[in-house]
Amino acid sequence: MDIPKSHPRYESLVMRERIIEGYKKGIVALAGLIAHGRGEAFDYIIGEETRGFARKAIRAAAALMLLSKRPVVSVNGNTAVLIPEYLVEYSNLTNIPLEVNLFYRTREREEAIYRFLKSYGAKEVLGVYDETTVLEGLESWRRVVSVKGIYSADTVLVPLEDGDRTEALKRAGKRVIAIDLNPFSRTSIAADITIVDNITRAFPLLIKYTRELREEPVDYLRDIVDSYNNKETLSESIAFIRDRLTALANAPLDFK
Ligand code: ATP
């Protein structure tokens, strides 16, 4: 579909197209379309902009990933089609591997995501052709993880996660960074760092902060991580939603 750039919802429509195309290519699961819609609704409510609470969380996430011994980025179908160029840029910049990890797991979908990421120049994509094992405490297919990747990771960045797995990763002693537009989800509550923002805006910023912070001494990064409080950040995001909705309720015709 040809979307005119002047359309007020241009970005959002382009993303929808990517998800639909991804579904047709067998990369996105049918349920991924629903998950995307839920994300869009929350994005509408926060005004489709990266807010201060998200910036703070992204900076802490960049620092924590740099400090971690074995960090990994978990990738599902939606993430792969929405931001392949940024996933690959981040992974190649930091040497942090990407790992395909799916709730609706099929061999075809895993391989399709692997090929898709490789076509964007990804160096290391785990979870498909390397050795896998089982992460205890999970019923879904997401329990199958790469031995070299999530299984032995100390920190896992999980854009668009489901709550069960975030909790299982926590029980396995890992630090979890989530990107989730819904601040009320179990994922958002269970994660150590929750970035309440669209992955399409959060990832480019993560790359920018990583470039800046990797020049800084370790103590500086530790200070950022130690002074970060996720409960406070989540509260800020919910208070922001409350205040924005109150302002809009008072002046609905000014809505932009
Ligand atoms: P939980 O199990 O954590 O309570 P859930 O059942 O909502 O959450 P899913 O449906 O698997 O979990 O996850 C989809 C989540 O991803 C939703 O919370 C949605 O808001 C979020 N989401 C969807 N698209 C995006 C996006 N582009 N950027 C950030 N978050 C998104």
Side-chain angles (χ1 to χ4, degrees):
M1 192 172 87
D2 224 6
I3 305 159
K5 276 217 157 118
S6 56
H7 193 290
R9 312 209 53 73
Y10 176 77
E11 286 297 327
S12 164
L13 291 175
V14 168
M15 292 307 146
R16 261 191 200 184
E17 266 318 287
R18 283 193 177 196
I19 291 281
I20 293 167
E21 281 307 308
Y23 175 70
K24 289 183 188 156
K25 282 190 200 143
I27 293 177
V28 170
L30 187 54
L33 276 66
I34 299 170
H36 184 76
R38 184 181 290 170
E40 278 185 342
F42 277 100
D43 209 8
Y44 220 113
I45 290 172
I46 66 165
E48 296 174 319
E49 274 179 42
T50 302
R51 304 295 178 176
F53 49 81
R55 263 174 216 283
K56 202 162 60 176
I58 296 168
R59 196 155 175 271
L64 178 58
M65 291 295 271
L66 286 169
L67 284 173
S68 298
K69 299 263 177 300
R70 297 190 67 115
V72 61
V73 179
S74 176
V75 178
N76 69 2
N78 285 42
T79 313
V81 296
L82 287 177
I83 50 165
E85 60 280 56
Y86 298 126
L87 289 170
V88 170
E89 185 180 344
Y90 178 70
S91 174
N92 291 354
L93 170 74
T94 54
N95 287 321
I96 294 174
L98 304 172
E99 177 166 340
V100 179
N101 187 267
L102 308 177
F103 190 86
Y104 298 95
R105 186 191 185 99
T106 64
R107 190 64 194 159
E108 292 73 30
R109 178 165 298 121
E110 277 178 342
E111 289 179 357
I113 296 176
Y114 180 94
R115 280 196 306 274
F116 188 65
L117 293 171
K118 282 284 180 183
S119 75
Y120 276 83
K123 276 196 275 201
E124 195 170 17
V125 182
L126 301 172
V128 184
Y129 296 107
D130 54 315
E131 192 190 343
T132 55
T133 184
V134 165
L135 191 71
E136 293 304 331
L138 260 182
E139 298 298 318
S140 84
W141 275 115
R142 296 199 97 165
R143 69 183 185 276
V144 181
V145 294
S146 157
V147 172
K148 247 178 95 183
I150 291 174
Y151 187 73
S152 46
D154 53 354
T155 305
V156 189
L157 171 60
V158 284
L160 317 193
E161 192 52 57
D162 64 283
D164 287 347
R165 205 175 63 126
T166 309
E167 286 161 5
L169 290 171
K170 287 300 301 169
R171 278 197 301 276
K174 300 177 194 305
R175 278 169 304 185
V176 177
I177 302 168
I179 309 178
D180 192 337
L181 277 158
N182 175 5
F184 309 109
S185 72
R186 284 177 305 150
T187 299
S188 289
I189 292 162
D192 296 284
I193 299 179
T194 308
I195 300 167
V196 180
D197 197 13
N198 201 314
I199 56 166
T200 58
R201 296 186 300 267
F203 239 84
L205 261 184
L206 178 71
I207 294 170
K208 176 174 176 279
Y209 287 142
T210 302
R211 285 192 198 282
E212 286 168 18
L213 292 178
R214 68 185 183 149
E215 307 299 331
E216 299 291 346
V218 166
D219 284 349
Y220 184 81
L221 303 185
R222 278 213 188 97
D223 274 353
I224 295 176
V225 173
D226 291 347
S227 61
Y228 177 82
N229 180 329
N230 205 44
K231 191 163 172 265
E232 222 172 77
T233 310
L234 277 177
S235 294
E236 271 176 47
S237 70
I238 295 168
F240 175 86
I241 291 174
R242 176 196 62 204
D243 295 344
R244 184 162 191 268
L245 293 182
T246 303
L248 291 173
N250 290 333
L253 300 181
D254 295 343
F255 184 78
K256 284 202 262 318

